[in-house]
């Protein structure tokens, strides 16, 4: 038993060291002339993968299927033909798992080919899911869940050997548990700086252990995750800025949209919760907004402090044409919520990112579009499974 | 249910109603049996009333159950759809919700309701001692899809309330059904077994009593006849003896004298006259 555990710990350590052996340098990418030397092959692969998205008519064919067997037949004509070969039982969850596995294997293939800045860039994309996974595992272990089942429940894009290390960590009781966790395990993860920044901002007393425990118990887990994700987004933004060139121009727009989308979502979802109280708006809610984006600084720093309900939000969004348009569309009763419209706008922006060459934004856009495709498929399959009518099924977002 | 037990009872009634209780046929037993018959009849009427009350309540409950079942089916469909919407907007929330759930915010308490003498279990939502807001999961989906998650939660809460009502109605239905069966069985037993038995026993006792009285009367009559015959024989014998004694003229007895006087009064008169 002991030898098994030792072996397991050695395996985990080896995986961690391997992942840290990435070359993380920030060198100029070179423009049209020098980009292809290092990144041409991978960019070509991504562009090839772009043609593998499900087209609108394929979506329509799938949404007209009555049962999941028909879906399997329809999918055989598309890019997703091989994934359902050996599946004996067809449920929406199983189909989606296979789709997800295909995407993750493609992403990991790209990661294995990437070097230098591209490798760092792809890693940054995975950090968002990694943060969610770590938070999920920590809170579940605090609540006393079974470690073995937790790995399967993590988001697959954010898998890293550090997760196993967190799982083998035993001491969660006591005030020092979380500090120990941070010192031994989390400090090795690539997302360590975000944890550090967050806890340094939160810790007010001399006893870091008790405070961390207090923070994890009092502050709700979603707020912590969102704070960490905000720090990640700002870091990503700074990294793209340091890359410069075409990448910076395209990623700037995409990341700013992401920051604005988060700000709007957080504001909307905070109505009716303590986060919307007058006292908390400035101290807590403002801290969740990113420090870049179209809405920054006028809206998120100032006007949003006065936003307490939907009307005030729509007045606050008026100066920004894009969001004001989206808001008006969501209010005119066509049945699409602001979330749906934001997804639609995101897809439009991501498709634009494939224009132009010699930049990394196509990788980011491909990831986002793949996620949207997964969401579309999940929606359509669940509607088929629940036998809803066509008009419900047609809420998927058209990609191409 | 009741038709089956009626059939059983009518079969039994051809066998058991013929029987009667084995008692000593006396007047005391007769009075006590008559009292029992009255008690059985009152009991039968009361039980019939109870059975009717239960039956009407059962019909009402069946209608309610049909309504609630329809509501539950629609509600479940909507709730699962709202879950799909929440997953569309917020990603896969299932694992986070399951792992982070601590205390139940939706609790159920049971209590007893008394309907027509039957104790029915009833479930309803408990509102005291329950945390008002699910603190751990209130911020789920903060950066995307939080509204859908909240509306999914509301939808499932509503469906859950309907489900609890359905469960409560189903258990009450089963209890009421059992009670109805028992009551009907009692009613039928009284109507087709007990009361005919008592009736037959009463008839039997009265028949026995009548017969004994008739026997008594007959016996008394017979005894009287025999006595009469004996008396007549005695009288005839005595007369014969007197006649015989009279002819010999010896020992006139007072009775013979009396007889003589009575029967031969004219001779006496003649004698008396002759003396003149």
């Amino acid at each position: 038993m002991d030898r098994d555990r030792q072996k397991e710990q050695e395996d985990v350590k080896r995986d961690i060291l391997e992942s840290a052996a990435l070359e993380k340098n920030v060198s100029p990418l070179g423009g049209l002339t020098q980009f292809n030397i290092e990144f041409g092959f991978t960019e070509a692969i991504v562009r090839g993968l772009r043609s593998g998205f499900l087209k609108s008519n394929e979506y329509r064919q799938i949404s007209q299927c009555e049962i999941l067997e028909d879906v399997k037949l329809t999918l055989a004509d598309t890019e997703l033909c091989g994934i359902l070969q050996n599946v004996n039982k067809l449920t929406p969850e199983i189909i989606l798992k296979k789709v997800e596995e295909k995407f993750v294997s493609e992403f990991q293939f790209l990661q294995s080919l990437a070097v230098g800045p591209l490798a760092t860039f792809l890693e940054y994309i995975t950090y968002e899911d990694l943060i969610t996974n770590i938070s999920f595992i920590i809170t579940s272990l605090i609540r006393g869940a079974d470690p073995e089942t937790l790995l399967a429940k993590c988001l697959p894009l954010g898998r890293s050997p550090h997760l196993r290390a967190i799982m083998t960590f035993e001491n969660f009781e006591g005030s020092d548990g979380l500090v120990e966790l941070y010192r031994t395990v989390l400090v090795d993860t690539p997302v360590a700086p975000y944890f550090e920044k967050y806890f340094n901002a939160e810790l007010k007393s001399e006893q870091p252990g008790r405070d961390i425990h207090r923070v994890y118990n009092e502050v709700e887990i979603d707020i912590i995750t969102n704070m960490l994700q905000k720090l990640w987004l700002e870091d990503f933004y700074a990294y793209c800025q340091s890359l410069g060139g075409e990448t910076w121009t395209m990623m700037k727009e995409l990341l700013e949209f992401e920051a604005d989308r988060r700000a709007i979502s957080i504001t909307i979802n905070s109505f009716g919760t303590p986060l919307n109280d007058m006292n908390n708006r400035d101290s807590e809610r403002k801290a969740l907004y990113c420090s870049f984006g179209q809405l920054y600084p006028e809206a998120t720093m100032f006007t949003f402090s006065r936003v307490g309900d939907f009307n005030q939000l729509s007045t606050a969004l008026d100066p920004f044409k894009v969001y004001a348009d989206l808001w008006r569309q969501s209010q005119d009763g066509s049945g699409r919520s602001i979330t749906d419209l934001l997804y639609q706008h995101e897809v439009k922006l991501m498709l634009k990112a494939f224009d132009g060459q010699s930049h990394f934004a196509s990788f980011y856009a491909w990831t986002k579009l793949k996620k949207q495709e997964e969401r579309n498929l999940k929606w359509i399959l669940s509607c088929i499974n629940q036998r809803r009518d066509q008009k419900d099924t047609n809420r998927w977002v058209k990609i191409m | 249910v009741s038709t089956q037990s009626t059939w059983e009872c009518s079969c039994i009634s051809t066998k058991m109603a013929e029987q009667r209780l084995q008692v000593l046929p006396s007047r005391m037993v007769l009075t006590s049996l008559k009292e029992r018959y009255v008690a059985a009849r009152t009991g039968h009427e009361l039980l019939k009333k109870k059975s009717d009350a239960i039956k009407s309540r059962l019909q009402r409950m069946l209608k309610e159950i049909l309504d609630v079942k329809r509501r539950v089916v629609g509600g479940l469909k909507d709730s699962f759809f709202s879950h799909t919407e929440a997953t569309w907007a917020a990603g896969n929330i299932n694992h986070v919700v399951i792992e982070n759930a601590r205390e139940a915010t939706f609790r159920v308490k049971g209590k007893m309701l008394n309907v027509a003498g039957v104790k029915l279990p009833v479930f309803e939502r408990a509102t005291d001692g329950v945390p008002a807001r699910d603190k751990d999961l209130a911020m789920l989906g903060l950066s995307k899809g939080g509204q859908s998650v909240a509306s999914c939660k509301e939808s499932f809460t509503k469906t859950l309330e309907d489900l609890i009502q359905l469960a409560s109605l189903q258990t009450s239905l089963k209890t009421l059904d059992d009670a109805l069966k028992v009551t009907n069985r009692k009613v039928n037993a009284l109507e087709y077994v007990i009361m005919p038995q008592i009736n037959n026993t009463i008839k039997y006792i009265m028949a026995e009593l009548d017969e004994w009285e008739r026997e008594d009367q007959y016996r008394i009559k017979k005894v009287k006849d025999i006595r009469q015959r004996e008396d007549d024989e005695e009288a005839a014998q005595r007369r014969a003896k007197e006649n015989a004694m009279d002819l010999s003229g010896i020992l006139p007895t007072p009775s013979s004298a009396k007889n003589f006087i009575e029967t031969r009064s004219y001779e006496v008169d003649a004698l008396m006259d002759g003396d003149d």
Side-chain angles (χ1 to χ4, degrees):
Chain A
M1 231 319 249
D2 242 359
R3 285 204 51 221
D4 281 341
R5 279 207 41 224
Q6 225 182 0
K7 192 167 173 318
E8 196 180 301
Q9 279 175 349
E10 279 178 15
D11 281 342
V12 167
K13 228 195 308 183
R14 186 196 61 222
D15 287 336
I16 294 180
L17 287 176
E18 268 183 14
S19 74
L22 227 39
E23 199 184 315
K24 286 188 182 23
N25 66 345
V26 181
S27 58
L29 295 182
L32 211 45
T33 49
Q34 289 162 327
F35 185 84
N36 277 347
I37 304 176
E38 292 194 16
F39 314 118
F41 182 55
T42 28
E43 190 186 352
I45 293 188
V46 147
R47 287 187 187 273
L49 290 171
R50 176 192 183 277
S51 63
F53 281 110
L54 291 174
K55 321 261 181 312
S56 300
N57 63 329
E58 285 163 354
Y59 276 124
R60 250 172 266 139
Q61 279 176 356
I62 298 178
S63 66
Q64 276 167 5
C65 293
E66 299 277 316
I67 55 175
L68 296 178
E69 294 291 339
D70 296 344
V71 171
K72 184 172 167 179
L73 288 172
T74 328
L75 280 181
D77 286 334
T78 68
E79 186 76 9
L80 301 167
C81 53
I83 56 175
L84 292 179
Q85 289 286 18
N86 302 324
V87 175
N88 26 9
K89 195 162 96 88
L90 275 186
T91 72
E93 290 81 33
I94 294 185
I95 298 181
L96 283 161
K97 216 165 146 51
K98 293 285 179 191
V99 172
E100 207 176 32
E101 274 173 21
K102 180 169 188 282
F103 162 60
V104 169
S105 68
E106 285 167 356
F107 190 86
Q108 282 171 347
F109 177 61
L110 285 176
Q111 264 188 311
S112 65
L113 290 172
V115 288
L118 183 57
T120 324
F121 188 87
L122 290 178
E123 284 248 329
Y124 264 105
I125 298 181
T126 68
Y127 289 169
E128 182 179 10
D129 284 352
L130 182 60
I131 291 174
T132 322
N133 284 348
I134 292 181
S135 287
F136 172 66
I137 292 182
I138 291 181
T139 34
S140 306
L141 287 176
I142 289 182
R143 305 256 188 283
D146 184 23
E148 271 96 52
T149 56
L150 287 180
L151 245 196
K153 298 184 183 173
C154 288
L155 301 170
L157 203 56
R159 279 217 192 111
S160 96
H162 304 97
L163 295 183
R164 302 226 62 201
I166 299 181
M167 227 98 67
T168 57
F169 186 81
E170 281 166 2
N171 182 15
F172 275 104
E173 303 304 312
S175 51
D176 278 356
L178 286 167
V179 184
E180 282 308 306
L181 173 69
Y182 179 71
R183 279 211 204 103
T184 55
V185 177
L186 289 180
V187 81
D188 283 333
T189 60
V191 294
Y194 311 136
F195 277 92
E196 199 180 315
K197 248 186 268 184
Y198 174 62
F199 284 122
N200 281 339
E202 283 289 316
L203 298 190
K204 299 178 183 77
S205 77
E206 291 296 312
Q207 294 170 304
R210 240 192 351 181
D211 261 1
I212 294 190
H213 209 76
R214 173 187 66 87
V215 163
Y216 258 107
N217 272 335
E218 283 181 7
V219 183
E220 287 153 21
I221 183 60
D222 281 289
I223 297 194
I224 301 182
T225 320
N226 278 302
M227 287 292 282
L228 294 171
Q229 283 178 340
K230 164 203 139 171
L231 292 168
W232 159 74
L233 202 56
E234 288 174 352
D235 200 18
F236 197 9
Y237 191 75
Y239 179 70
C240 291
Q241 195 167 22
S242 68
L243 287 177
E246 188 80 9
T247 308
W248 168 234
T249 333
M250 308 230 72
M251 285 304 291
K252 179 166 185 292
E253 194 182 349
L254 302 182
L255 288 179
E256 279 182 358
F257 173 74
E258 177 72 15
D260 295 335
R261 192 191 64 76
R262 290 188 96 93
I264 297 179
S265 278
I266 289 177
T267 319
I268 293 181
N269 295 326
S270 69
F271 296 153
T273 69
L275 213 51
N276 203 22
D277 289 342
M278 294 300 274
N279 350 338
N280 285 347
R281 279 189 211 156
D282 274 347
S283 56
E284 294 192 8
R285 197 166 77 181
K286 206 198 282 198
L288 289 169
Y289 300 139
C290 289
S291 53
F292 63 92
Q294 275 188 31
L295 292 177
Y296 173 87
E298 298 98 36
T300 52
M301 290 296 127
F302 301 119
T303 29
F304 273 19
S305 305
R306 292 194 291 273
V307 169
D309 64 27
F310 286 96
N311 291 332
Q312 292 171 336
L313 181 61
S314 77
T315 9
L317 286 179
D318 260 344
F320 308 97
K321 185 161 180 313
V322 176
Y323 301 119
D325 274 343
L326 288 178
W327 185 258
R328 233 173 315 117
Q329 276 183 20
S330 79
Q331 301 295 83
D332 71 4
S334 66
R336 316 201 79 137
S337 68
I338 185 70
T339 332
D340 288 356
L341 290 165
L342 284 169
Y343 277 142
Q344 246 182 334
H345 190 77
E346 185 184 34
V347 165
K348 229 183 348 171
L349 281 181
M350 297 302 156
L351 283 175
K352 271 202 312 184
F354 281 105
D355 305 332
Q357 255 194 315
S358 310
H359 59 84
F360 289 163
S362 45
F363 295 87
Y364 181 71
W366 175 73
T367 319
K368 284 285 180 180
L369 287 173
K370 267 294 184 185
K371 285 207 174 134
Q372 182 60 39
E373 182 178 272
E374 258 174 63
R375 264 199 294 268
N376 281 348
L377 274 178
K378 190 187 295 198
W379 175 260
I380 296 179
L381 290 175
S382 301
C383 284
I384 292 179
N385 212 20
Q386 292 177 19
R387 288 188 243 284
R388 311 244 23 145
D389 13 290
Q390 231 14 44
K391 97 175 149 57
D392 284 331
T393 322
N394 283 343
R395 248 172 92 174
W396 47 272
V397 175
K398 180 165 108 85
I399 299 190
M400 46 185 68
Chain B
V1 163
S2 33
T3 50
Q4 190 203 24
S5 44
T6 325
W7 177 83
E8 280 175 4
C9 275
S10 59
C11 273
I12 293 172
S13 71
T14 54
K15 296 180 290 196
M16 279 173 77
E18 304 304 322
Q19 301 170 6
R20 52 176 164 72
L21 308 162
Q22 303 293 344
V23 285
L24 177 71
S26 74
R27 285 204 196 276
M28 222 167 57
V29 177
L30 182 66
T31 18
S32 73
L33 274 179
K34 282 197 177 147
E35 277 170 18
R36 268 174 72 176
Y37 181 74
V38 169
R41 204 186 22 224
T42 350
H44 175 258
E45 273 165 30
L46 283 174
L47 277 176
K48 230 177 153 44
K49 272 196 212 128
K50 176 174 176 176
S51 155
D52 288 339
I54 294 183
K55 217 185 292 192
S56 71
R57 184 65 187 238
L58 208 65
Q59 300 282 35
R60 235 189 316 149
M61 207 170 268
L62 279 172
K63 244 183 265 182
E64 255 182 70
I65 285 189
L66 197 62
D67 280 339
V68 176
K69 269 196 185 166
R70 282 209 194 98
R71 269 214 313 268
V72 161
V73 164
L76 276 177
K77 212 165 158 223
D78 289 338
S79 297
F80 278 107
F81 188 62
S82 76
H83 177 262
T84 312
E85 280 180 335
T87 323
W88 158 264
N92 192 2
I93 49 172
N94 287 354
H95 299 310
V96 182
V97 171
I98 293 176
E99 294 294 335
N100 283 314
R102 268 206 287 204
E103 256 190 3
T105 47
F106 192 105
R107 294 189 194 167
V108 167
K109 67 171 182 247
K111 60 177 196 205
M112 286 289 186
L113 201 65
N114 193 333
V115 161
V118 183
K119 286 212 175 19
L120 295 180
V122 163
F123 305 124
E124 58 184 32
R125 184 173 182 182
T127 41
D128 37 293
V130 167
R133 199 173 69 92
D134 195 357
K135 182 177 108 64
D136 295 327
L137 293 170
M139 296 282 169
L140 189 60
L142 190 59
S143 64
K144 51 182 178 171
Q147 272 187 318
S148 313
V149 171
S151 74
C152 171
K153 180 172 169 184
E154 274 166 30
S155 174
F156 269 103
T157 310
K158 199 159 79 70
T159 309
L160 195 55
E161 284 176 0
D162 279 340
L163 269 177
I164 288 177
Q165 199 185 358
L166 184 65
S168 172
L169 282 173
Q170 295 265 47
T171 42
S172 309
L173 184 81
K174 188 165 182 316
T175 323
L176 262 187
D177 200 37
D178 288 339
L180 183 67
K181 277 195 199 122
V182 166
T183 314
N184 274 344
R185 238 179 266 143
K186 285 187 194 159
V187 166
N188 288 333
L190 277 177
E191 194 173 318
Y192 294 108
V193 178
I194 305 289
M195 279 172 36
Q197 265 188 2
I198 297 184
N199 258 340
N200 287 344
T201 322
I202 290 180
K203 278 191 218 147
Y204 159 73
I205 293 183
M206 287 184 33
E208 288 288 310
L209 288 177
D210 278 345
E211 193 156 327
W212 283 350
E213 214 171 301
R214 259 183 281 142
E215 277 179 16
D216 261 356
Q217 276 186 356
Y218 188 72
R219 205 178 325 123
I220 291 176
K221 185 157 167 290
K222 269 286 189 224
V223 166
K224 239 179 45 197
D225 280 350
I226 293 180
R227 278 274 177 78
Q228 191 73 14
R229 211 169 346 119
E230 283 180 0
D231 273 350
D232 284 346
E233 274 184 19
E234 222 180 285
Q237 269 184 6
R238 223 176 318 137
R239 219 174 300 130
K241 224 187 322 181
E242 278 175 10
N243 280 344
M245 276 206 312
D246 228 16
L247 285 172
S248 67
I250 311 166
L251 289 179
T253 64
S255 58
S256 69
K258 199 165 160 221
N259 264 336
F260 183 77
I261 295 172
E262 277 173 12
T263 54
R264 304 235 184 122
S265 57
Y266 67 96
E267 284 183 297
V268 171
D269 286 344
L271 272 176
M272 308 263 317
D273 285 344
D275 273 329
D276 289 357

